[in-house]
Amino acid sequence: MSTKSVFSTESVIEWVNQYGDELFSWALFKIGDKQSAEDLVQETFMSAVQAVTSFEGKSHPKTWLTSILNNKVIDHYRKEKKHHSQAVSLSIDQAESITDTMFDANDNWTNNGMESLWVQEENLLDNQDFNVVFDVCINDLPPAWRLSISAKYFSQKETKEICQELGITTTNYWQVIHRSKLLLKKCLEQKWFSGN
Amino acid sequence: MNFLIMSCKRATLLIEKNQLLGKLSVKQTIQLRMHTALCDACKGYKTQSQIMHKCLESHARHLHIPKDKLSEGVKETIIKALEKKH
């Protein structure tokens, strides 16, 4: 059962020209720093060339390269966090334990009675201040979760492709989306609804 | 009757799936409808989830992924590094 890969170093070199711009754009969007984005793209291709003989082409090369890049982006976030003493975003463990406390032992809501506050304000979406708070809450999400959310909303990709890029199963993906939304809810209730 | 009963955690997961996929299985649709008919917190969550969904969509509209180009110099550097590995 040895499947010989049809891809080689030459393929990877070709992909630099074919997909380099797009990978760079995504990295820049996620990181915001040109130099780091360039470095991550270079690292992505270096990892790709080492793994190319085991790449069987089950997904599109661009999808495969994006999955490598996504791992580099998450690593980059982790390293960045180590350098800043104050953690900007939550770790996955922290985030999971927060969302767990939102439900009781039977997986039903531990009710917080804030439902009515959400519907009292009309045109919430047009409210500049609300959008600023929403931004803060998105940035509080664990980096890997933020990546899952942005893969969905910022690129019009199919769930299957996003999962391949993130290297997770669809079941896991829905759990991440679910937990991210719960965490956003919690954050908005703390930072917006309880103060207003 | 038992198959109609599900937890709020499960119900809210289905709300999220339904929102992004636009569809659920017939069984899931019935389960969710039954649940939200009886559970105010989950009925409320449906609205909240929609608000957050719209927020995320509008953020996405305002924040396009830039169409940047990797400079030719960097591409060359990468290709040279790849060739060296070869």
Side-chain angles (χ1 to χ4, degrees):
Chain A
M1 268 280 291
S2 75
T3 38
K4 188 99 176 74
S5 175
V6 293
F7 302 103
S8 60
T9 306
E10 280 74 25
S11 322
V12 181
I13 290 172
E14 219 169 282
W15 295 338
V16 175
N17 289 314
Q18 273 179 298
Y19 311 121
D21 292 341
E22 215 169 316
L23 292 170
F24 173 65
S25 297
W26 178 246
L28 189 60
F29 173 62
K30 293 313 301 174
I31 289 171
D33 172 53
K34 191 167 167 261
Q35 180 67 51
S36 304
E38 284 175 356
D39 290 348
L40 291 192
V41 172
Q42 171 150 11
E43 284 173 32
T44 299
F45 283 113
M46 297 318 279
S47 298
V49 82
Q50 280 174 332
V52 74
T53 49
S54 55
F55 173 57
E56 293 169 17
K58 279 185 182 150
S59 58
H60 193 280
K62 196 174 79 187
T63 305
W64 182 64
L65 291 167
T66 308
S67 73
I68 301 173
L69 175 62
N70 276 336
N71 283 322
K72 309 265 177 217
V73 169
I74 293 170
D75 278 347
H76 177 85
Y77 285 143
R78 277 200 202 112
K79 276 182 218 150
E80 212 178 30
K81 205 176 128 180
K82 265 187 203 158
H83 288 297
H84 302 290
S85 49
Q86 287 145 320
V88 189
S89 50
L90 295 163
S91 72
I92 288 179
D93 282 349
Q94 286 170 322
E96 283 186 348
S97 69
I98 292 172
T99 52
D100 282 344
T101 61
M102 296 170 81
F103 298 97
D104 63 20
N106 298 317
D107 282 348
N108 292 319
W109 290 109
T110 43
N111 208 339
N112 61 14
M114 288 182 107
E115 282 76 34
S116 61
L117 295 174
W118 282 80
V119 287
Q120 270 168 16
E121 288 180 70
E122 281 177 55
N123 309 322
L124 205 49
L125 295 170
D126 298 328
N127 187 326
Q128 281 273 319
D129 295 339
F130 179 76
N131 280 288
V132 170
V133 174
F134 193 77
D135 250 350
V136 170
C137 289
I138 290 178
N139 287 325
D140 277 350
L141 294 174
W145 293 12
R146 219 184 318 149
L147 201 61
S148 304
I149 286 269
S150 46
K152 184 75 215 172
Y153 283 93
F154 294 95
S155 60
Q156 303 296 321
K157 286 175 183 163
E158 292 292 324
T159 310
K160 193 181 153 218
E161 192 183 347
I162 292 173
C163 292
Q164 283 175 340
E165 287 183 1
L166 296 167
I168 57 176
T169 63
T170 39
T171 310
N172 200 273
Y173 171 75
W174 286 115
Q175 280 166 353
V176 168
I177 295 290
H178 182 216
R179 282 185 186 273
S180 302
K181 290 290 272 291
L182 289 169
L183 204 61
L184 284 175
K185 166 185 157 72
K186 179 108 184 166
C187 177
L188 289 169
E189 286 176 348
Q190 277 173 349
K191 295 196 164 119
W192 179 263
F193 292 106
S194 61
N196 275 37
Chain B
M1 271 304 276
N2 240 348
F3 86 100
L4 288 173
I5 297 164
M6 65 175 163
S7 67
C8 295
K9 200 175 192 173
R10 172 95 187 129
T12 49
L13 175 71
L14 291 183
I15 288 171
E16 293 306 332
K17 266 195 176 177
N18 191 29
Q19 188 158 71
L20 288 176
L21 293 176
K23 61 169 197 280
L24 292 173
S25 73
V26 176
K27 186 183 161 191
Q28 288 171 334
T29 309
I30 297 169
Q31 282 179 322
L32 187 58
R33 232 176 256 168
M34 287 284 290
H35 186 98
T36 47
L38 298 167
C39 175
D40 284 341
C42 282
K43 205 167 119 193
Y45 182 80
K46 208 175 155 186
T47 313
Q48 296 158 13
S49 171
Q50 246 157 25
I51 293 173
M52 292 187 277
H53 178 72
K54 283 189 186 146
C55 248
L56 284 162
E57 278 184 336
S58 96
H59 275 239
R61 265 200 302 279
H62 294 121
L63 236 151
H64 289 293
I65 301 171
K67 288 247 184 296
D68 281 292
K69 287 208 183 307
L70 193 59
S71 76
E72 290 306 316
V74 176
K75 276 184 197 167
E76 261 171 50
T77 312
I78 295 174
I79 290 171
K80 268 191 195 131
L82 290 173
E83 280 167 345
K84 218 185 259 175
K85 285 240 168 186
H86 194 31

